[in-house]
Amino acid sequence: MSGAAMSLGQSVADLGLKLMGRAHRAILGLSRGRILRSAFGMPVVELRTTGRKTGRNRVTMLTTPVHDENRVVLVASKGGGDRDPEWYRNLVVNPDVEITIGGDARWLRARTASAEEKAVLWPQIVTAYKGYGRYQIKTERDIPVVICEEGLV
């Protein structure tokens, strides 16, 4: 596939994901959190990051396969795409994020899991949603796992 065709395909896929996220957020808001609180058996997370180029607030709807009172784990899979998602690239530069789950918002510090941490988390992640395993097979990049936890925010 030519570079131009691949770029167009990536742009269309990116736009589709963005529109799905906006629709999901709208439905969640209109239903006051009663509809679409979970997806694929995982809680839905509203992630707020700061744009690495613009400095503007960015909102992304994701799921969390592993979470507890101390941390929220996110997977930068982008459906097995060949590039890291924009939300991940933003939080690498600006790690202070706001996460809302079930209407409860909290400020956390995000970081990429170390290889050792990912080795422990990955089986739990794939148990929660087998699609993540398929995504990793689909792409040549190592899909980042993000740990969001309380820190100096």
Side-chain angles (χ1 to χ4, degrees), residues 1 13 32 39 44 68 79 83 85 89 102 137 139 145 150-151:
M1 182 178 291
R32 293 190 171 94
V44 168
D68 57 35
R83 298 172 294 133
R89 296 173 68 195
I137 291 168
T139 185
V145 171
E150 293 191 17

PDB file of all heavy atoms in Angstrom, residues 1 13 32 39 44 68 79 83 85 89 102 137 139 145 150-151:
ATOM      1  N   MET A   1       0.854  -1.175   0.000  1.00  0.00           N
ATOM      2  CA  MET A   1       0.000   0.000   0.000  1.00  0.00           C
ATOM      3  C   MET A   1       0.896   1.233   0.000  1.00  0.00           C
ATOM      4  O   MET A   1       1.878   1.307   0.713  1.00  0.00           O
ATOM      5  CB  MET A   1      -0.894  -0.041   1.244  1.00  0.00           C
ATOM      6  CG  MET A   1      -1.856   1.097   1.319  1.00  0.00           C
ATOM      7  SD  MET A   1      -2.960   1.027   2.770  1.00  0.00           S
ATOM      8  CE  MET A   1      -3.976  -0.358   2.358  1.00  0.00           C
ATOM      9  N   ALA A  13      -9.534   6.034   9.910  1.00  0.00           N
ATOM     10  CA  ALA A  13      -9.643   5.245  11.141  1.00  0.00           C
ATOM     11  C   ALA A  13      -9.605   6.156  12.367  1.00  0.00           C
ATOM     12  O   ALA A  13     -10.395   5.986  13.305  1.00  0.00           O
ATOM     13  CB  ALA A  13      -8.530   4.208  11.209  1.00  0.00           C
ATOM     14  N   ARG A  32     -27.238  10.162  31.952  1.00  0.00           N
ATOM     15  CA  ARG A  32     -26.719  10.397  33.315  1.00  0.00           C
ATOM     16  C   ARG A  32     -25.982   9.162  33.833  1.00  0.00           C
ATOM     17  O   ARG A  32     -26.121   8.768  34.987  1.00  0.00           O
ATOM     18  CB  ARG A  32     -27.834  10.806  34.260  1.00  0.00           C
ATOM     19  CG  ARG A  32     -28.418  12.166  33.919  1.00  0.00           C
ATOM     20  CD  ARG A  32     -29.346  12.637  35.021  1.00  0.00           C
ATOM     21  NE  ARG A  32     -29.736  14.004  34.813  1.00  0.00           N
ATOM     22  CZ  ARG A  32     -30.847  14.367  34.187  1.00  0.00           C
ATOM     23  NH1 ARG A  32     -31.643  13.469  33.669  1.00  0.00           N
ATOM     24  NH2 ARG A  32     -31.139  15.644  34.061  1.00  0.00           N
ATOM     25  N   ALA A  39     -18.027  -1.437  28.727  1.00  0.00           N
ATOM     26  CA  ALA A  39     -17.896  -1.937  27.358  1.00  0.00           C
ATOM     27  C   ALA A  39     -17.004  -3.175  27.412  1.00  0.00           C
ATOM     28  O   ALA A  39     -15.966  -3.169  28.081  1.00  0.00           O
ATOM     29  CB  ALA A  39     -17.300  -0.874  26.445  1.00  0.00           C
ATOM     30  N   VAL A  44     -16.044   1.876  31.684  1.00  0.00           N
ATOM     31  CA  VAL A  44     -15.659   2.939  30.763  1.00  0.00           C
ATOM     32  C   VAL A  44     -14.997   4.053  31.564  1.00  0.00           C
ATOM     33  O   VAL A  44     -15.429   4.393  32.662  1.00  0.00           O
ATOM     34  CB  VAL A  44     -16.887   3.472  30.000  1.00  0.00           C
ATOM     35  CG1 VAL A  44     -16.570   4.752  29.252  1.00  0.00           C
ATOM     36  CG2 VAL A  44     -17.403   2.403  29.041  1.00  0.00           C
ATOM     37  N   ASP A  68      -8.242  -0.488  40.676  1.00  0.00           N
ATOM     38  CA  ASP A  68      -8.617  -0.622  42.078  1.00  0.00           C
ATOM     39  C   ASP A  68      -8.607   0.774  42.688  1.00  0.00           C
ATOM     40  O   ASP A  68      -8.521   1.760  41.952  1.00  0.00           O
ATOM     41  CB  ASP A  68      -7.696  -1.606  42.816  1.00  0.00           C
ATOM     42  CG  ASP A  68      -6.216  -1.235  42.756  1.00  0.00           C
ATOM     43  OD1 ASP A  68      -5.891  -0.020  42.774  1.00  0.00           O
ATOM     44  OD2 ASP A  68      -5.381  -2.147  42.681  1.00  0.00           O
ATOM     45  N   GLY A  79      -6.658  -0.401  18.860  1.00  0.00           N
ATOM     46  CA  GLY A  79      -7.220  -1.488  18.054  1.00  0.00           C
ATOM     47  C   GLY A  79      -6.171  -2.291  17.299  1.00  0.00           C
ATOM     48  O   GLY A  79      -6.465  -2.912  16.292  1.00  0.00           O
ATOM     49  N   ARG A  83       0.381   2.753  15.153  1.00  0.00           N
ATOM     50  CA  ARG A  83       0.854   3.959  15.839  1.00  0.00           C
ATOM     51  C   ARG A  83       0.227   4.035  17.225  1.00  0.00           C
ATOM     52  O   ARG A  83      -0.887   3.564  17.432  1.00  0.00           O
ATOM     53  CB  ARG A  83       0.446   5.222  15.072  1.00  0.00           C
ATOM     54  CG  ARG A  83       1.025   5.329  13.684  1.00  0.00           C
ATOM     55  CD  ARG A  83       0.416   6.514  12.922  1.00  0.00           C
ATOM     56  NE  ARG A  83      -1.003   6.264  12.684  1.00  0.00           N
ATOM     57  CZ  ARG A  83      -1.965   7.153  12.903  1.00  0.00           C
ATOM     58  NH1 ARG A  83      -1.700   8.356  13.334  1.00  0.00           N
ATOM     59  NH2 ARG A  83      -3.227   6.844  12.663  1.00  0.00           N
ATOM     60  N   PRO A  85      -1.804   5.718  20.161  1.00  0.00           N
ATOM     61  CA  PRO A  85      -2.910   6.679  20.112  1.00  0.00           C
ATOM     62  C   PRO A  85      -2.470   8.062  20.601  1.00  0.00           C
ATOM     63  O   PRO A  85      -1.532   8.186  21.398  1.00  0.00           O
ATOM     64  CB  PRO A  85      -3.959   6.066  21.047  1.00  0.00           C
ATOM     65  CG  PRO A  85      -3.254   5.036  21.844  1.00  0.00           C
ATOM     66  CD  PRO A  85      -2.018   4.644  21.119  1.00  0.00           C
ATOM     67  N   ARG A  89       0.283   9.609  23.527  1.00  0.00           N
ATOM     68  CA  ARG A  89       1.361  10.532  23.211  1.00  0.00           C
ATOM     69  C   ARG A  89       1.234  11.817  24.035  1.00  0.00           C
ATOM     70  O   ARG A  89       2.228  12.399  24.455  1.00  0.00           O
ATOM     71  CB  ARG A  89       1.375  10.815  21.719  1.00  0.00           C
ATOM     72  CG  ARG A  89       1.688   9.525  20.916  1.00  0.00           C
ATOM     73  CD  ARG A  89       1.549   9.702  19.440  1.00  0.00           C
ATOM     74  NE  ARG A  89       2.601  10.598  18.955  1.00  0.00           N
ATOM     75  CZ  ARG A  89       2.580  11.166  17.769  1.00  0.00           C
ATOM     76  NH1 ARG A  89       1.585  10.937  16.923  1.00  0.00           N
ATOM     77  NH2 ARG A  89       3.565  11.949  17.394  1.00  0.00           N
ATOM     78  N   GLY A 102     -17.600   5.959  36.388  1.00  0.00           N
ATOM     79  CA  GLY A 102     -18.874   5.913  37.096  1.00  0.00           C
ATOM     80  C   GLY A 102     -19.269   7.235  37.736  1.00  0.00           C
ATOM     81  O   GLY A 102     -19.886   7.250  38.790  1.00  0.00           O
ATOM     82  N   ILE A 137      -0.959  -9.097  18.600  1.00  0.00           N
ATOM     83  CA  ILE A 137      -0.531  -9.957  17.483  1.00  0.00           C
ATOM     84  C   ILE A 137      -0.620  -9.199  16.167  1.00  0.00           C
ATOM     85  O   ILE A 137       0.225  -9.358  15.284  1.00  0.00           O
ATOM     86  CB  ILE A 137      -1.383 -11.246  17.440  1.00  0.00           C
ATOM     87  CG1 ILE A 137      -1.047 -12.122  18.660  1.00  0.00           C
ATOM     88  CG2 ILE A 137      -1.166 -12.011  16.141  1.00  0.00           C
ATOM     89  CD1 ILE A 137      -2.020 -13.252  18.881  1.00  0.00           C
ATOM     90  N   THR A 139      -0.170  -6.017  15.512  1.00  0.00           N
ATOM     91  CA  THR A 139       0.773  -4.919  15.299  1.00  0.00           C
ATOM     92  C   THR A 139       2.201  -5.329  15.644  1.00  0.00           C
ATOM     93  O   THR A 139       2.410  -6.228  16.454  1.00  0.00           O
ATOM     94  CB  THR A 139       0.385  -3.678  16.128  1.00  0.00           C
ATOM     95  OG1 THR A 139       1.254  -2.602  15.792  1.00  0.00           O
ATOM     96  CG2 THR A 139       0.446  -3.930  17.619  1.00  0.00           C
ATOM     97  N   VAL A 145       1.259  -0.201  28.146  1.00  0.00           N
ATOM     98  CA  VAL A 145       0.312  -0.290  29.248  1.00  0.00           C
ATOM     99  C   VAL A 145       0.592   0.917  30.133  1.00  0.00           C
ATOM    100  O   VAL A 145       1.742   1.220  30.444  1.00  0.00           O
ATOM    101  CB  VAL A 145       0.492  -1.609  30.031  1.00  0.00           C
ATOM    102  CG1 VAL A 145      -0.331  -1.609  31.307  1.00  0.00           C
ATOM    103  CG2 VAL A 145       0.114  -2.798  29.139  1.00  0.00           C
ATOM    104  N   GLU A 150      -2.189   7.837  42.082  1.00  0.00           N
ATOM    105  CA  GLU A 150      -2.046   9.103  42.790  1.00  0.00           C
ATOM    106  C   GLU A 150      -0.585   9.466  42.874  1.00  0.00           C
ATOM    107  O   GLU A 150       0.272   8.603  43.060  1.00  0.00           O
ATOM    108  CB  GLU A 150      -2.688   9.017  44.160  1.00  0.00           C
ATOM    109  CG  GLU A 150      -4.205   8.873  44.050  1.00  0.00           C
ATOM    110  CD  GLU A 150      -4.927   9.050  45.356  1.00  0.00           C
ATOM    111  OE1 GLU A 150      -4.339   9.604  46.311  1.00  0.00           O
ATOM    112  OE2 GLU A 150      -6.093   8.646  45.418  1.00  0.00           O
ATOM    113  N   GLY A 151      -0.315  10.711  42.656  1.00  0.00           N
ATOM    114  CA  GLY A 151       1.054  11.197  42.695  1.00  0.00           C
ATOM    115  C   GLY A 151       1.036  12.678  42.988  1.00  0.00           C
ATOM    116  O   GLY A 151       0.049  13.227  43.443  1.00  0.00           O
TER     117      GLY A 151
END
